[in-house]
């Protein structure tokens, strides 16, 4: 399963400083290093960095985090990212066996690292998919040529729960996707962002913990229904989650 990252991230960590050699998807290492170096260089000029990343005055501390990417303590990506989706996933409630299962199934899309296994240890950072870094250009232009082949090489079913901006960094051909819709009293349906993140987190939790091994969209739907989610199969690789 491919999860989106989050703008908010947990502080601290008890792991050693970042070591790119320990991260999954080793074919992304060269570009990761280039972006890390560009971001730490940019952080030496906080006003320029804040403008490039679209940060406001109350987010000035983000410059400090980006300046220390190579030195800061790390923690597992599954524990680093926070917010509505990750609250619903509720990894903190996993038993040891459940966590091991989740770590083997979950991955996270990242503007800085491209793709991460859930257990990859990373520092706190700030970089969004839509950012454009001086001397680097758009992240979509940099990531797409390497992310698409990496995703094509993944063996087995992929369930892509990334948001549009992160999916655009590197589409996953043939992946199962999910749209979250809220039913209105008149029977109409519309997208609501809060429920979108929450229900995708619940779907991720169901798929992370199930003992089943779904092979297609209908198998994914069956797991979701057993977890109490309202779900419809709307296409060969498309699900609709109803709130």
């Amino acid at each position: 399963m491919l999860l989106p990252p989050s703008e908010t991230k947990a502080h601290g960590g008890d792991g050693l400083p970042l070591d790119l050699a320990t991260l999954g998807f080793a074919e992304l290492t060269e570009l990761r290093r280039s972006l890390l170096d560009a971001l730490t260089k940019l952080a030496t000029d906080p006003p320029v960095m804040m403008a490039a990343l679209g940060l406001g005055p109350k987010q000035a501390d983000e410059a400090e985090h980006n300046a220390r990417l190579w030195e800061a303590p790390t923690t597992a990506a599954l524990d680093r990212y926070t917010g509505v989706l990750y609250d619903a996933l509720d990894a903190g409630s996993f038993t040891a066996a459940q966590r091991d299962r989740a770590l083997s199934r979950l991955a996270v899309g990242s503007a800085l690292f491209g793709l991460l296994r859930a257990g990859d240890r990373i520092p706190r950072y700030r970089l969004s998919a839509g950012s454009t870094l001086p001397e680097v250009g758009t992240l979509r232009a940099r990531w797409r040529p390497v992310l698409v082949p990496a995703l094509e090489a993944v063996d087995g079913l992929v369930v892509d729960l990334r948001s549009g901006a992160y999916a655009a960094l590197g589409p996953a051909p043939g992946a199962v996707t999910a749209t979250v819709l809220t039913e209105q009293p008149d029977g109409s349906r519309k997208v609501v962002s809060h429920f979108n993140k929450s229900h995708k987190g619940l779907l991720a939790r169901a798929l992370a913990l199930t003992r089943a091994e779904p092979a297609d969209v209908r198998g994914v739907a069956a797991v979701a229904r057993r977890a109490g989610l309202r779900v419809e199969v709307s296409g060969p690789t498309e699900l609709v989650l109803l709130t």
Side-chain angles (χ1 to χ4, degrees):
M1 273 175 296
L2 286 177
L3 304 181
S6 61
E7 296 290 352
T8 57
K9 299 174 182 68
H11 290 267
D14 58 4
L16 295 173
L18 179 65
D19 180 357
L20 295 183
T22 67
L23 303 184
F25 305 98
E27 63 271 38
L28 308 181
T29 299
E30 182 178 350
L31 182 50
R32 287 168 174 161
R33 188 182 306 278
S34 175
L35 293 177
L36 282 156
D37 287 342
L39 196 56
T40 53
K41 178 181 178 182
L42 186 62
T44 62
D45 191 337
V48 173
M49 189 205 72
M50 292 173 68
L53 302 187
L55 301 177
K58 294 183 179 180
Q59 298 167 305
D61 64 325
E62 301 291 350
E64 180 179 348
H65 293 298
N66 281 353
R68 300 182 61 245
L69 292 173
W70 291 110
E71 307 159 11
T74 58
T75 195
L78 185 61
D79 304 315
R80 178 64 72 193
Y81 297 107
T82 61
V84 174
L85 185 148
Y86 289 89
D87 287 345
L89 176 61
D90 195 14
S93 71
F94 294 169
T95 65
Q98 288 174 332
R99 184 176 175 88
D100 286 344
R101 189 177 300 123
L103 291 179
S104 71
R105 292 176 171 176
L106 296 174
V108 182
S110 166
L112 182 57
F113 296 102
L115 292 173
L116 292 165
R117 299 174 305 195
D120 286 343
R121 290 185 168 271
I122 58 170
R124 188 179 179 198
Y125 69 93
R126 182 61 178 257
L127 185 66
S128 301
S131 299
T132 299
L133 300 180
E135 302 178 13
V136 171
T138 68
L139 296 177
R140 179 176 178 175
R142 296 299 304 274
W143 275 121
R144 195 178 183 97
V146 293
L147 276 185
V148 172
L151 288 166
E152 288 177 339
V154 173
D155 187 27
L157 181 70
V158 174
V159 180
D160 190 353
L161 301 182
R162 294 175 298 171
S163 59
Y166 284 91
L169 296 182
V176 171
T177 59
T179 301
V180 182
L181 301 176
T182 296
E183 279 194 322
Q184 305 300 301
D186 64 1
S188 63
R189 298 173 174 181
K190 67 177 183 178
V191 175
V192 180
S193 60
H194 177 82
F195 288 116
N196 175 65
K197 294 178 181 179
S198 178
H199 275 62
K200 284 186 176 180
L202 293 174
L203 176 59
R205 180 180 176 88
L207 292 170
L209 300 184
T210 183
R211 295 182 180 277
E213 295 289 348
D216 55 25
V217 66
R218 295 189 180 280
V220 173
V223 171
R225 292 189 185 107
R226 286 196 294 272
L229 296 172
R230 295 176 61 205
V231 60
E232 297 175 355
V233 175
S234 58
T237 60
E238 299 170 356
L239 290 177
V240 171
L241 297 172
L242 297 172
T243 69

